[in-house]
Amino acid sequence: MSDFVMPTLYAKFSKDNPTITTKFKVATTKRNTDFSKVNYNENEKFTPEIAKFLEPTNTIQIDGIVREKANLITKRHKW
């Protein structure tokens, strides 16, 4: 299980045959937000309940391209 008690696939591979095959379906929803209409305080601090979802977990790290995109999205927020 993940740190958020969600079903998560985690695999540890041996050197002999490091392969895994998975099959799953993904559904997405397109959302558009006009942020010019949002009352946003860039000095607002996240509550602990929200902040925990912005931290890396044991199975979901925040680095590389994921970190770059997150930093782009949250660039105005003061941590």
Side-chain angles (χ1 to χ4, degrees):
M1 283 291 176
S2 73
D3 296 358
F4 299 115
V5 193
M6 292 183 271
T8 304
L9 172 64
Y10 177 81
K12 194 169 192 175
F13 297 98
S14 69
K15 292 181 181 181
D16 298 335
N17 189 15
T19 61
I20 188 169
T21 302
T22 60
K23 185 176 181 180
F24 55 92
K25 293 181 181 180
V26 176
T28 61
T29 302
K30 184 174 181 177
R31 293 186 173 97
N32 293 308
T33 301
D34 183 354
F35 287 102
S36 68
K37 296 179 181 177
V38 175
N39 184 14
Y40 175 74
N41 177 358
E42 65 184 45
N43 295 311
E44 180 181 5
K45 298 288 185 188
F46 288 126
T47 64
E49 293 82 13
I50 293 174
K52 73 178 182 181
F53 290 102
L54 301 174
E55 296 295 324
T57 68
N58 291 331
T59 56
I60 304 172
Q61 297 180 14
I62 301 176
D63 58 7
I65 193 168
V66 174
R67 182 168 182 78
E68 290 172 21
K69 191 65 162 177
N71 286 339
L72 178 67
I73 293 168
T74 62
K75 65 184 172 188
R76 294 184 338 164
H77 190 78
K78 307 277 192 253
W79 303 104

